[in-house]
Each structure stands twice: as C-alpha cells, then as structure tokens.
Amino acid sequence: MTTFEEIVPALDRLAIEVPSWAYGNSGTRFKVFASAGTPRTVREKIADAAQVHALTGLAPTVALHIPWDRVDDYAALGAFAREHGVALGTINSNTFQDDVYRLGSLTHHDPAVRRTAIDHHLECLEIMAHTGSRDLKIWLADGTNYPGQGDLRARQDRLHDSLAEIYAHLGEGQRLVLEYKLFEPAFYHTDVPDWGTAYAHVSALGERAYVCLDTGHHAPGTNIEFIVTQLLRLGKLGSFDLNSRFYADDDLIVGAADPFQLFRILAEVVRGGGLDAGSPVALMLDQCHNVEDKIPGQLRSVLNVQETVAKVLLLDRDALAAAQAAGDVLAANAVVMDAFWTDVRPALADYRVSRGLPADPVAAYAASGYQARIAADRVGGTQASWGA
Ligand code: PSV
Ligand code: MN
C-alpha cells in the first residue's frame, strides 16, 4: 500500500501548462459569446492565467498562440509574466486562419504557400528564443474534403520536407512537437490524422521531435491510454493537450466527460515514467470555455488533473503485479478500481493548506472578487477571441 505522504514528492512536481486562448472568448461555428471581464490583451490573458497558478500552485507556465498573442516585445512579455509569478511556455503556430492556407500550409501544392507557412514557423522559433520557450507545437489543419482534391502521397512528402526545414532551425534546447487530429476542418482526409503518422514524421526528423497527444483528437471509442503507452515506449511522447469530449473535439473541462478515461490515461503516463523528474512529457491544457467562466473552468481542469494523478499514484502497483502474475483477472481489475474510487479530496485539501494554498481554490477564487474586478475594469477595447 502506498500512503499519501509517499506520493507528496510526485504531487509537488506536477506542473500543468495553461493555454492563453482559454481566457479569451471562444465558441462554436455557430456563435462566439462575449463575456464580461474577458481579456483584451495578451497581458490580461497572462494575468488571468496567473490567478490559476496563484490559487493552485499547479500552473506555472502559459502557452501562447501566434499570431493571436503576437506582441512587439516578447522579452518584456516574459518579464510581465514573471512579475505575475508565471513563465511563458509552448509556442503554438497557426496556419489555419489565413486565406492563403485554404488548401493547406506545410503540405500545400504551391511552393510559395509552403514558404509562407515555413517562415511563420521560423518566426515562432525566433519568438521562442525571446520567451525562453522549449517547445514549438505544430497542429496543421491541412487535409482535403474530396477524393482526388489532392495527391495524398505528394502531400506527405511535402510535409516531411517542410518539417525538416523547420526542424533544422531549432535552437539549443528547443523541441518540435507535432499534434495529430483525426478530422476537422478537413473531412475526407487529414495530413496528420493519427499518432502513427505523427510518429513517422517526428521519427524521420530526429531526437528533438516528439508527438503531442490531444485527448479530443481521436475517433470515439479509441483506447487512448494504449497510444500513450506505445508513444512512451518509443520515447516519442512529448506533450498532451488535455481536455474532455463527448462527441468530437469538444475542448471541455478535463475529466468532465469521462473521469475514468482520464485516470486510465494518467495511469499509463505514470507507468511509463511520464511524470518522473526529467521526463520529456509536458502536460498542457487545450480548452475553450464557451458557457462557463474561464478562470474557474481552468481551475477545475488543473484540479481534476491533480486529483486524478493522486489516485493514480496511490495505485497499489505491487498488488496489481501480483494479481497479473497469478492470472487473477478480477483481483487485478479490483486493484485498479480501488485506486480510481479512492477519495483523495480531503488529503489534497490538507496538502494545499500545507503549501500555503487555499483548501478549495474554486471557492477562494469566487470569494476573491477578481471576477467582479475584471468585469468592472475591462470595459472598452476589443475582447480577445478564438481567432483574434
Ligand atoms: C486543433 O483542434 C487544436 O487542438 C490545436 O492544438 C490548436 O492549436 C488548438 O486546437 C486551437 O484551439
Ligand atoms: Mn490541441
């Protein structure tokens, strides 16, 4: 049996990167709703993200999306983040909103469009040199809607060439992380649809290229924890975009749709050393809050990850191994379920208090008056929205 005391060092190491875009307005293809207090600037997004870290101690870095978070002076932005107790993290490229990318970006048949897309990534690498970011995360909307629209094989070859040029420009300590997604916005084929394709490309690039697994990017019913195991085994799991989903890429609060799936995924992360000190695996959120307040939405997400990690760390691995070795199917399953059903909430509340944090960060946020303050202060200007 593992005690809560024994898992504290691992809990202390837990760090979850939050996305700048979670604090802006977002929506569906039907509507983007505005909400009072939404940031108008990158600095306001960072100030909101800093609240999440201040109340939980779990979210020390903020991911940026370029061009949404483009500023003139990234070193100054980094200093602003530090003053607020956080640091800038992953830089996400964006080749999915300019007209020129209608038929693709890094895979495009026109070399001029590919040049534009590659140059955008080189700009991201330059930004990373100023922000001190380690990871360039690439998700491509590239794909086709109709059979015959594109040459599938040629697009793969062009993708490799484009990625290789970007990879060659990585600076010291920088990594390239390639994110896959089954479908959307393309409906017939997607150029990086699955972990195998992402793995093939990053393997061809070299040891500083990894796969990013977004939990919302698979077909319903996919065994995501198996993919986690396989990528860890291959040494190519670089990061997670965590969110939850009922149907497609819903980007809902982590653990909201299927807490047991989150447990199974994190159990494989821990089993594969993904939370060990020095592990290459970065935990990030990729979420949008359309109908709920954004800061509490992010708080709930990082707390759900912490709660689930605690349950996983309490899993009795010796008992599990013994049951597996004995071929005792039901006993093995019972060990896993015991860990999943363990109520770690009281112990985590005490743990937070021992770290000078509120026992209940969501309640502390509600009592802090921050939401009312930003609603009153942030009047005028243009609210940041997904896509701007
Ligand atoms: C694409 O659906 C994605 O998961 C990528 O990570 C993008 O960068 C992000 O969502 C944009 O919200
Ligand atoms: Mn994502």
Side-chain angles (χ1 to χ4, degrees):
M1 281 293 284
T2 310
T3 65
F4 193 85
E5 271 313 302
E6 288 169 322
I7 71 169
V8 162
L11 287 178
D12 283 342
R13 275 201 307 274
L14 189 60
I16 305 157
E17 186 160 303
V18 291
S20 69
W21 55 99
Y23 304 92
N25 292 324
S26 60
T28 66
R29 64 200 172 100
F30 300 101
K31 170 76 179 160
V32 173
F33 292 105
S35 60
T38 293
R40 285 93 34 100
T41 63
V42 189
R43 287 182 179 222
E44 289 179 349
K45 292 183 200 173
I46 291 171
D48 288 1
Q51 286 292 308
V52 176
H53 187 50
L55 290 165
T56 65
L58 286 170
T61 56
V62 188
L64 300 183
H65 219 293
I66 306 297
W68 301 340
D69 297 322
R70 207 175 250 153
V71 292
D72 291 335
D73 187 342
Y74 290 95
L77 191 67
F80 175 84
R82 279 194 299 282
E83 281 159 26
H84 283 72
V86 293
L88 302 179
T90 302
I91 299 295
N92 290 257
S93 64
N94 181 329
T95 57
F96 49 88
Q97 289 180 309
D98 293 334
D99 285 339
V100 72
Y101 300 131
R102 189 163 64 103
L103 298 180
S105 63
L106 296 181
T107 66
H108 201 283
H109 58 272
D110 181 345
V113 177
R114 293 205 298 281
R115 184 74 262 145
T116 304
I118 292 167
D119 286 346
H120 168 64
H121 287 88
L122 302 189
E123 180 202 346
C124 289
L125 289 178
E126 221 164 276
I127 291 170
M128 288 163 63
H130 293 290
T131 55
S133 306
R134 179 186 61 174
D135 290 350
L136 169 65
K137 178 148 72 69
I138 304 178
W139 170 72
L140 301 170
D142 294 38
T144 61
N145 275 2
Y146 299 100
Q149 180 188 326
D151 181 334
L152 303 189
R153 168 62 192 264
R155 290 174 73 98
Q156 285 299 302
D157 296 341
R158 294 193 290 259
L159 176 57
H160 168 75
D161 293 348
S162 300
L163 288 173
E165 182 170 345
I166 297 163
Y167 184 81
H169 283 81
L170 287 186
E172 183 79 23
Q174 293 180 343
R175 313 191 309 176
L176 182 159
V177 186
L178 183 62
E179 179 177 354
Y180 61 91
K181 180 175 177 177
L182 176 63
F183 83 104
E184 193 196 43
F187 295 115
Y188 166 56
H189 107 281
T190 295
D191 290 297
V192 188
D194 52 29
W195 75 268
T197 305
Y199 174 72
H201 279 287
V202 299
S203 297
L205 293 176
E207 60 183 23
R208 285 194 285 152
Y210 292 86
V211 176
C212 171
L213 186 160
D214 185 314
T215 47
H217 287 189
H218 307 84
T222 299
N223 184 333
I224 297 174
E225 58 270 28
F226 179 80
I227 299 172
V228 169
T229 289
Q230 189 65 283
L231 284 172
L232 278 168
R233 184 179 159 266
L234 296 165
K236 282 295 188 191
L237 183 58
S239 57
F240 278 93
D241 270 5
L242 296 167
N243 48 56
S244 73
R245 55 79 74 86
F246 289 98
Y247 297 102
D249 190 18
D250 305 349
D251 281 341
L252 299 175
I253 288 172
V254 181
D258 188 345
F260 185 43
Q261 182 191 51
L262 180 63
F263 174 88
R264 298 193 311 266
I265 290 171
L266 289 170
E268 290 307 318
V269 173
V270 170
R271 164 68 179 84
L275 290 190
D276 291 355
S279 145
V281 181
L283 297 181
M284 304 183 296
L285 306 184
D286 181 6
Q287 282 182 248
C288 297
H289 304 291
N290 301 343
V291 296
E292 68 276 32
D293 281 343
K294 299 161 201 321
I295 296 171
Q298 290 284 282
L299 285 169
R300 183 48 66 212
S301 285
V302 297
L303 293 169
N304 284 351
V305 175
Q306 183 185 46
E307 211 173 295
T308 311
V309 163
K311 290 170 185 241
V312 164
L313 292 169
L314 289 171
L315 179 66
D316 191 339
R317 301 257 167 203
D318 294 337
L320 182 60
Q324 288 170 350
D328 192 337
V329 177
L330 291 179
N333 180 242
V335 171
V336 169
M337 297 316 294
D338 274 349
F340 175 66
W341 290 116
T342 304
D343 187 359
V344 292
R345 291 173 298 179
L348 279 174
D350 292 346
Y351 164 79
R352 283 184 204 111
V353 171
S354 77
R355 281 0 189 211
L357 296 164
D360 181 345
V362 175
Y365 176 73
S368 73
Y370 185 87
Q371 191 77 38
R373 252 189 336 272
I374 57 175
D377 290 352
R378 295 177 183 171
V379 177
T382 308
Q383 296 195 330
S385 276
W386 195 92

